[in-house]
Amino acid sequence: MDGPHSPGTAAQAVFSGHGRGPALDEAPGSCVLGIDVGGTGMKGAVFDRDMRPLESVRRPTPRGDGPEAVEDAVADTLLVLSGAATRRGLRVRHAGVVVPGIVDDARERAVRSANIGWRDLPLAGLLEARTGLRVTLGHDVRAGGLAEGALGAARGARDVLFVAIGTGVAAAIVSDGRPVLAGGYAGELGHVVVESPGRRCACGGSGCLETVASASAVAEAYSARSGRAVTGAADVAELTERGDPVAGAVWRRATEGLADALATATTLLGPELIVLGGGLAEAGRLLLDPVRAGLDERLGFQRRPTLVRAELGDRAGCLGAGLTAWRAADAMTAVRTGATAP
């Protein structure tokens, strides 16, 4: 377990404009837990009211051992974080756990996760039974979008598309200041078709954005075309900057696919701001400049969104899980006291 970290922002930035308000019946020494469960690793933290991570932990996700092993690992990580909070003399108010796939927030179920293998799993309830903690379940990318809105690149914006580009591609949609959930099915940008005919996708379709512009697709495409293996999309980005023609062609197709999908999303949703995050966004201007130019070419009458890189990096999901936990804790306190929730 890592030690204390410096705060990412002041408390007022957490509360401002995102449904948070002054603490309701706040007890001294209160905290929440947040865990971001990814396909390869988990990130967890103990957060104070100012969203400072007082303790943090990173662990591999044992998905190779099956979905039950992942559930075990999440429960154990919650207990480890809870124990760390207790040793600090803190009272855990709530825990937020965010996972990939289709997540029904209202029913607190992991409806479908291809990476982990969960199917209609009442995960929040199972974790509560195993840990004795109050747990709220959420979606990893929507949590990342929440964090970017409260603490990062989307502060103050009311119509936002946050796009995480990693092993897969998914989006969080905020419209008129409210998240669009659709029972957990909103935001599957990675399965917008951008190439026909195209490569077969894990979803069962073909030509999906994920087959062209995800970090894994970029690495696989370069290896297949060049005959030289790379460890990931970062290698392809570096080769593109060096002028490698195969890397340049793969990168260009990825940015064109992103521009195609974002133009469709912009036409449907009218975002004022698009925030690109995830591993591929670490390439910075190498990704943003061609996507920005491609999007500009594809738009006519539509509102033209500002396109920026995410600010929170791989901390976004865990921070979003912590924010989700604080919101749930405050809502429960409001119900108990008869106060008006912020």
Side-chain angles (χ1 to χ4, degrees), residues 110-227:
V111 176
R112 181 178 185 272
S113 176
N115 285 337
I116 295 174
W118 288 327
R119 292 290 185 276
D120 200 30
L121 185 71
L123 187 56
L126 291 171
L127 293 173
E128 286 185 343
R130 296 182 61 169
T131 65
L133 298 166
R134 290 170 174 166
V135 178
T136 293
L137 184 68
H139 184 259
D140 57 349
V141 175
R142 287 198 292 274
L146 170 64
E148 288 290 344
L151 310 170
R155 288 188 299 271
R158 291 184 56 80
D159 297 297
V160 182
L161 186 68
F162 168 72
V163 183
I165 313 166
T167 304
V169 181
I173 304 164
V174 176
S175 180
D176 290 329
R178 296 181 177 275
V180 178
L181 305 179
Y185 287 88
E188 290 296 324
L189 187 70
H191 301 290
V192 170
V193 175
V194 296
E195 195 170 64
S196 183
R199 289 179 56 202
R200 193 74 173 168
C201 181
C203 75
S206 62
C208 297
L209 178 64
E210 279 193 7
T211 69
V212 171
S214 66
S216 53
V218 167
E220 290 167 8
Y222 178 81
S223 296
R225 292 189 191 188
S226 68

Side-chain angles (χ1 to χ4, degrees), residues 227-341:
R228 299 190 299 275
V230 292
T231 59
D235 292 347
V236 182
E238 184 177 346
L239 289 164
T240 299
E241 290 186 309
R242 292 180 183 176
D244 182 302
V246 177
V250 169
W251 197 262
R252 184 163 52 254
R253 183 65 196 103
T255 58
E256 288 173 351
L258 276 168
D260 286 338
L262 292 177
T264 297
T266 297
T267 302
L268 289 172
L269 303 170
E272 62 186 296
L273 180 69
I274 297 176
V275 180
L276 298 187
L280 211 66
E282 295 301 308
R285 291 187 60 181
L286 187 68
L287 179 73
L288 266 66
D289 285 354
V291 172
R292 191 179 286 123
L295 184 59
D296 189 62
E297 290 173 0
R298 289 160 173 77
L299 298 180
F301 68 90
Q302 300 93 332
R303 173 161 72 171
R304 291 173 183 261
T306 300
L307 182 72
V308 300
R309 179 182 169 185
E311 292 181 5
L312 302 177
D314 69 354
R315 299 178 297 140
C318 188
L319 285 163
L323 286 168
T324 298
W326 273 122
R327 288 184 171 187
D330 287 347
M332 293 181 71
T333 300
V335 170
R336 187 176 69 248
T337 62
T340 301

